[in-house]
Amino acid sequence: LAKTTQPISMDSYEGQEVNITCSHNNIATNDYITWYQQFPSQGPRFIIQGYKTKVTNEVASLFIPADRKSSTLSLPRVSLSDTAVYYCLVVSEAAGNKLTFGGGTRVLVKP
Amino acid sequence: EAQVTQNPRYLITVTGKKLTVTCSQNMNHEYMSWYRQDPGLGLRQIYYSMNVEVTDKGDVPEGYKVSRKEKRNFPLILESPSPNQTSLYFCASSSPEGGYTFGSGTRLTVV
């Protein structure tokens, strides 16, 4: 299973764009990348997932370069309510699409 | 509304008293799993189920049992709880297309 590395914490301000980069050097050909958000004492919430290039939905964008050894979650114009822990995960079909969580990135959005 | 429902949300029990945490999903998902979350250790998978009557151990299965008699339900059973099972527990389900839906969590305290 590909190990992921992401910053422990990041600070931002309301209205700014937040970019969280995750490295996953050992990603396998059929693995895909997924991101989750978690608020204190709540279950993780699915944000976005992708295999390559760029994926965008109503809350975030995910950029994956051609070598797929890293990915960047982009949160446009964050608000105070985006303060949370964000997890980058590499999911392997061979491992039954199991989610293996790392430490995540604690994002603090300031007024 | 698509959701995963866990009960109870909070539970305080004594060592050795059998308990069951229920989990139900209304999305017709085949895959369900249980996680526990502890400070400094993150989210760790306890058990998972690929379909009805198919269950398998996750990373930390000791002291837990599960059953999957029907697709929508996946209860977590602690036959003889111990204080080291004090934790925040999450149930999750997913479809083959990916994207896990997590429950709101059960905070268990074993004294």
Side-chain angles (χ1 to χ4, degrees):
Chain A
L1 224 57
K3 180 174 160 48
T4 60
T5 302
Q6 55 184 121
I8 294 175
S9 64
M10 298 178 74
D11 288 358
S12 184
Y13 290 92
E14 281 191 291
Q16 288 189 337
E17 179 181 82
V18 171
N19 295 306
I20 309 171
T21 297
C22 175
S23 67
H24 26 79
N25 292 318
N26 297 324
I27 191 168
T29 303
N30 294 326
D31 293 347
Y32 61 92
I33 299 121
T34 187
W35 286 78
Y36 283 75
Q37 173 194 56
Q38 187 180 26
F39 299 112
S41 298
Q42 293 187 28
R45 185 174 74 100
F46 171 78
I47 302 173
I48 198 167
Q49 72 182 28
Y51 182 77
K52 61 180 177 182
T53 63
K54 178 183 174 183
V55 180
T56 298
N57 62 22
E58 61 275 8
V59 298
S61 294
L62 178 60
F63 300 91
I64 305 168
D67 66 7
R68 304 201 325 125
K69 292 184 185 299
S70 67
S71 59
T72 299
L73 175 73
S74 179
L75 305 171
R77 298 178 301 283
V78 294
S79 63
L80 297 177
S81 62
D82 292 316
T83 293
V85 177
Y86 292 83
Y87 295 97
C88 163
L89 301 98
V90 171
V91 183
S92 167
E93 287 186 4
N97 291 328
K98 173 184 172 181
L99 294 184
T100 299
F101 287 84
T105 297
R106 192 172 299 275
V107 173
L108 173 62
V109 180
K110 303 175 182 177
Chain B
E1 180 193 350
Q3 61 185 0
V4 174
T5 303
Q6 295 178 227
N7 281 296
R9 289 294 310 277
Y10 302 92
L11 179 60
I12 301 174
T13 190
V14 296
T15 299
K17 185 177 180 181
K18 180 180 178 180
L19 67 91
T20 299
V21 183
T22 63
C23 174
S24 179
Q25 51 96 2
N26 62 1
M27 296 163 281
N28 202 36
H29 286 166
E30 293 181 348
Y31 186 97
M32 297 185 74
S33 63
W34 276 102
Y35 286 81
R36 62 178 287 176
Q37 186 168 31
D38 303 287
L41 296 175
L43 282 142
R44 295 176 291 169
Q45 190 184 60
I46 304 170
Y47 265 95
Y48 65 95
S49 170
M50 302 287 278
N51 211 329
V52 175
E53 301 292 0
V54 180
T55 63
D56 212 340
K57 296 177 180 178
D59 299 316
V60 287
E62 295 77 22
Y64 304 95
K65 284 174 56 178
V66 292
S67 71
R68 189 86 183 276
K69 292 184 170 52
E70 47 192 342
K71 188 181 268 192
R72 64 182 292 121
N73 295 323
F74 189 45
L76 179 70
I77 303 155
L78 285 73
E79 294 270 4
S80 182
S82 62
N84 65 12
Q85 292 178 298
T86 291
S87 186
L88 180 57
Y89 291 86
F90 292 105
C91 179
S93 73
S94 75
S95 65
E97 294 75 38
Y100 281 54
T101 300
F102 283 79
S104 299
T106 296
R107 188 169 293 280
L108 172 66
T109 302
V110 183
V111 299

